[in-house]
Amino acid sequence: MCRFRLLSPEVRLLAALLLLAGWAPFTPASAADGDLDPSWGVGGISFGFGNNVPRASGVAPDQEIYFTGRTTLPDDSEFEWWRTGNSGGGQWYGCSSALPLLDNFDIREVLFDSADRLLYAGRMTVFGTETVERAFVARFETFSGGESCTLDTAFSGAGWEYFDDAPYCDTEDCRLIDIEESGDATTRYVALLESYTNTVLSNYYLVGLTVAGNLDPNFGTGGFAPVTAPNLNVLGGGGAELVIDPSNRPYVLHSFYDPNASFDLDTGLTRFQSDGDLDTTFEDAGTYFTATSDTEDSLVRTMAIGSDGRIGMGWFTLPGNDSTVRVFLNISATSVGSQLANRDLRAVAFDGLGRILTAADIVGSDGIELGRRNVVFSSATGQDSTFGVNGFRFVDIDGGGANGELPVDIETPGGQPMILVEANQPVSGSQAYLVRLENSLVFADGFEWGSTKFW
């Protein structure tokens, strides 16, 4: 069911007051990297979309941003996508799908595949029969020529599927937390499944799916491959991240309890072959150990891959309340990184020149910090002084009062960085916002309308 939502008169009145107070769009003589885009919403920030917890975003073929998550609160009996089609204003266009006997949808990842079809990965429960979470995946028909709100019945016979017959997804809570497209001969999609054990432990599995949405018997064992390696101990709960490189090899960024360092929580990047087998030729018997310290715990936050195979990673450390951003180049097995003091890094992406974009929550304070760093593998990831102010841009979404913001995802439609942000408003609760930044390259020659994966 397609529908649109218009902001309430009270919210539109607030926006008008902001405009009268001087927060008004203007047209600059030339665009500067990292400036808020004055043509988007109000001063570069969209109007909010209320009563939802945004989880992920994706770029459609027409370069529109779509986002999803838990978007029908307090009733989350449907799964939805939403987009703003009027330059960041108060009208949102969306699609809602309700499935018989399925409830409590929480969509964690969005994927537009090479055939312009939208895929969801997340979790749900079977209404009235059980309260166990089930890993869920769905696909919509092609988006060519405009958005689609029709489930693709060529996918798993109905357009959707959930997993409940694997031994680790029988009585355990399971969820799909990521999904990516592969160019393997039989595996079209690889999803990352988390089997929840308790608040600190989880098991993770790669799931190989054919283009028809079936488990690929050529992937792992019956379509599943455990995320494990010889030098790993048990893995930490709370999530992991997945990317697939140009050679169709999946990488999983995860936390693990290091038996060689008092079982503190460290971070590793494990690589698999396109058929789900562990790639033992990669680094230390299959795993690149990115953060190993017996004084701090590290929690996985985010990962992205560039078209040349460079991988950007981010993790948060305790008790220091700092984050690390690191870029790994598989071709030369080299990496460079930087620390973000008093920042909780939540999203990374690459632009058209291979620079890494970052979005972080400012620990213990209001607002978010957006940054860009040059990536020089023989040196470091230094701040790009041409972006914003000394490489950073501070954004505070007041929404009528002090509130907390959390960056969720970064996309680059048409070359302009756009950040999906969750803001906890003092009156209306959790809302989604889209923040759009300028990119001077867009106004230089327009070549940016290429692969969204490297922008």
Side-chain angles (χ1 to χ4, degrees), residues 425-449:
Q425 304 290 17
V427 177
S428 54
S430 178
Q431 295 194 34
Y433 288 83
L434 291 171
V435 177
R436 189 162 78 177
L437 305 180
E438 297 279 25
N439 183 343
S440 63
L441 292 177
V442 172
F443 302 89
D445 52 27
F447 80 91
E448 72 289 336
W449 195 275

Side-chain angles (χ1 to χ4, degrees), residues 276-327:
D277 289 343
L278 178 69
D279 186 355
T280 57
T281 67
F282 178 69
E283 296 296 314
D284 188 350
T287 300
Y288 167 59
F289 293 100
T290 63
T292 54
S293 171
D294 57 3
T295 60
E296 293 181 327
D297 290 329
S298 59
L299 308 174
V300 167
R301 288 296 195 232
T302 182
M303 183 164 62
I305 190 166
S307 62
D308 66 345
R310 66 182 61 191
I311 297 175
M313 301 168 281
W315 56 86
F316 183 64
T317 57
L318 295 171
N321 290 332
D322 301 327
S323 289
T324 298
V325 57
R326 180 162 290 276
V327 182

Side-chain angles (χ1 to χ4, degrees), residues 371-433:
R372 189 172 73 195
R373 295 174 179 270
N374 296 309
V375 179
V376 182
F377 285 102
S378 60
S379 179
T381 54
Q383 297 167 206
D384 184 352
S385 61
T386 66
F387 178 91
V389 179
N390 297 321
F392 298 102
R393 167 67 62 190
F394 174 79
V395 176
D396 182 16
I397 303 173
D398 283 329
N403 53 266
E405 297 91 356
L406 189 68
V408 176
D409 216 343
I410 303 176
E411 305 292 349
T412 49
Q416 288 188 259
M418 189 175 290
I419 300 89
L420 175 63
V421 180
E422 178 190 357
N424 188 14
Q425 304 290 17
V427 177
S428 54
S430 178
Q431 295 194 34
Y433 288 83

Side-chain angles (χ1 to χ4, degrees), residues 175-223:
R175 64 207 74 168
L176 288 184
I177 56 177
D178 211 340
I179 189 167
E180 301 292 341
E181 188 173 19
S182 174
D184 180 76
T186 61
T187 304
R188 175 57 62 88
Y189 309 108
V190 177
L192 181 60
L193 184 151
E194 179 182 12
S195 175
Y196 178 84
T197 302
N198 53 43
T199 56
V200 295
L201 297 176
S202 286
N203 292 313
Y204 296 90
Y205 300 86
L206 294 175
V207 183
L209 299 174
T210 67
V211 68
N214 302 316
L215 288 172
D216 182 2
N218 300 302
F219 186 89
T221 301

